[in-house]
Amino acid sequence: MEHELSPSTLSELRRPRPYPAVSVLTPTHRREPDNAQDPVRLRNVVAEAKKQLEADPSVTRERRSDVVRQLDQALMEVDLAHAEDGLVIFAAPGEHQVWSLARSVPERVVLSDTFLTRNLVSAHAAERPFWVLSVSADRVTLWNGGIDRVTEDHGGGFPMTRSTPNFDAERLERIGDVPSTFRDEDTRHFLREADAAMGMVLREQPRRLYVTGEQAALSVLDEVGGVTKEAVHVPHGGLAHGTPEAVWQAMRPVLNAEARRDTEAVARELETARGRRSFAAGVDEVWHSAREGRVRLLAVEENFRMTVRDALGEHLVPAESGDLDAREDIVDEIVEQCLETGAEVRFVPDGALLDAQGIAGVLRY
């Protein structure tokens, strides 16, 4: 199953396909007993997709068979044992993809000439993925960070290792000579190469970067690094040879502190916008502003969802799930629209926007 939504991947997903491009969405669950329903719901929503394909007179028999085969292959690739909060299956003639999302999605089937990507975009924005680069004198490891975990990433030439004849880090540590290891020109060259490789990764998938290592290693990066010099440095050795859990435990206090500061900064920006009359609150008001490209900063509570319907194209009004013309993923629509127009999107803890009904925006004008 796919997890990483890079700009190039999103561009590829959004390109037009031969009709029908089928998008199948269903909520999933991480824990018992809620996850017991997931296999049945998944089979049912895929069956509904096949039913719609069968009933669509514009789909030829050959193309229908192709897409049904892609749906069946996608279904075999789903790993519900490692489910998150949402699942998206894309299927079109000759291709399929399965995406696991750390954000719930509405259950639905869409047949079009493009895939439905807004739920992926919203989940990606909510997760705020980051990189962790763990450095040592003989190994540099890249970690892919998300909401509640990190995993080792093997892209971009990582992990990077080097042979070090007569190199004994433990002996050097015992005699208090570890800093000399990082003054060694070969070590400095090794870290310079790692910095260059990380720069290539960031050009392909830009996101916040943290670098962990002994203080001596971080000091070298301050001297020779480019992208790593500008990253957030976390003085913690041993993680280049560590486990994902060890990296996550080292990063969690740093991330929690940053999240608190970010939430406070968003609250200050919203309060300033109120005073300047450049403030929008509530789904309907923010939706109108987003469609006009006026939103500069969008703030959304992490688990805020709302089902609405469009009242004569003028206003959104609350609706029940399953109602005719109900739009169950309107928050994801707003998030994607804001990102498309260059707005900054920030997800804040539940309850932080009570007076704004869960969603608010700072306007450009």
Side-chain angles (χ1 to χ4, degrees):
M1 296 192 293
E2 303 287 342
H3 297 268
E4 290 308 305
L5 187 66
S6 67
S8 59
T9 300
L10 180 58
S11 178
E12 167 62 20
L13 287 174
R14 282 176 166 167
R15 70 171 175 82
R17 260 79 179 172
Y19 186 85
V22 181
S23 302
V24 178
L25 292 75
T26 184
T28 52
H29 304 84
R30 299 174 186 248
R31 299 175 183 84
E32 297 178 344
D34 294 331
N35 61 5
Q37 64 185 284
D38 292 348
V40 174
R41 292 188 67 167
L42 177 58
R43 287 195 299 270
N44 287 345
V45 73
V46 171
E48 174 61 26
K50 293 178 180 179
K51 181 179 177 181
Q52 291 190 26
L53 286 168
E54 185 70 32
D56 192 331
S58 63
V59 181
T60 65
R61 179 182 301 177
E62 179 182 7
R63 189 160 287 182
R64 179 168 57 247
S65 298
D66 186 349
V67 177
V68 166
R69 185 166 58 252
Q70 298 296 332
L71 285 169
D72 288 338
Q73 291 176 4
L75 198 56
M76 292 175 61
E77 295 174 11
V78 173
D79 181 9
L80 289 177
H82 296 91
E84 296 178 280
D85 302 306
L87 187 72
V88 177
I89 294 175
F90 295 136
E95 63 173 321
H96 68 272
Q97 292 189 34
V98 179
W99 287 82
S100 178
L101 307 182
R103 182 171 168 85
S104 185
V105 298
E107 185 171 289
R108 65 187 306 188
V109 174
V110 178
L111 275 61
S112 184
D113 57 359
T114 58
F115 291 139
L116 184 68
T117 61
R118 59 176 171 255
N119 303 95
L120 267 69
V121 171
S122 180
H124 184 73
E127 189 167 4
R128 298 185 67 191
F130 57 90
W131 295 116
V132 179
L133 193 70
S134 296
V135 302
S136 68
D138 63 337
R139 181 181 175 91
V140 179
T141 306
L142 180 63
W143 308 94
N144 177 15
I147 289 178
D148 57 2
R149 68 187 183 280
V150 297
T151 56
E152 186 172 354
D153 192 285
H154 296 280
F158 292 101
M160 297 178 63
T161 59
R162 71 175 182 128
S163 299
T164 51
N166 302 320
F167 177 74
D168 186 346
E170 291 185 2
R171 181 185 67 81
L172 291 169
E173 185 174 6
R174 284 197 301 272
I175 64 176
D177 197 32
V178 173
S180 68
T181 303
F182 293 99
R183 286 197 296 268
D184 175 76
E185 189 54 42
D186 288 342
T187 301
R188 294 165 70 89
H189 179 71
F190 175 61
L191 295 182
R192 198 178 289 117
E193 288 183 334
D195 178 88
M198 190 68 233
M200 296 289 288
V201 171
L202 288 171
R203 278 191 285 276
E204 177 65 24
Q205 296 188 61
R207 59 175 76 167
R208 193 168 181 82
L209 172 63
Y210 302 86
V211 181
T212 73
E214 298 174 21
Q215 186 58 58
L218 300 180
S219 296
V220 171
L221 290 175
D222 276 335
E223 299 173 21
V224 306
V227 296
T228 52
K229 177 181 180 179
E230 302 301 325
V232 178
H233 286 189
V234 181
H236 194 302
L239 298 180
H241 296 269
T243 64
E245 180 61 22
V247 177
W248 174 247
Q249 292 304 325
M251 290 302 305
R252 188 163 60 175
V254 178
L255 298 170
N256 288 343
E258 287 191 351
R260 287 192 296 270
R261 290 195 296 270
D262 288 348
T263 299
E264 291 167 359
V266 169
R268 288 194 297 271
E269 284 213 53
L270 292 175
E271 190 60 34
T272 299
R274 285 180 186 271
R276 294 177 177 172
R277 300 183 182 275
S278 57
F279 177 79
V283 165
D284 184 54
E285 189 173 340
V286 173
W287 176 65
H288 278 284
S289 298
R291 292 173 69 194
E292 296 168 355
R294 297 174 58 205
V295 179
R296 178 179 64 79
L297 169 67
L298 178 71
V300 187
E301 290 186 0
E302 289 171 352
N303 294 300
F304 176 63
R305 315 290 297 184
M306 187 173 184
T307 300
V308 299
R309 59 181 175 84
D310 189 349
L312 303 177
E314 296 181 0
H315 294 285
L316 300 178
V317 296
E320 296 294 328
S321 179
D323 283 357
L324 185 64
D325 297 329
R327 299 164 71 168
E328 299 191 34
D329 55 353
I330 188 62
V331 176
D332 289 348
E333 287 187 48
I334 292 172
V335 168
E336 185 177 46
Q337 180 64 44
C338 287
L339 290 170
E340 286 285 342
T341 55
E344 182 181 3
V345 176
R346 308 296 288 273
F347 285 81
V348 299
D350 293 341
L353 300 173
L354 281 177
D355 58 345
Q357 300 150 41
I359 186 169
V362 177
L363 305 183
R364 293 187 171 100
Y365 58 90

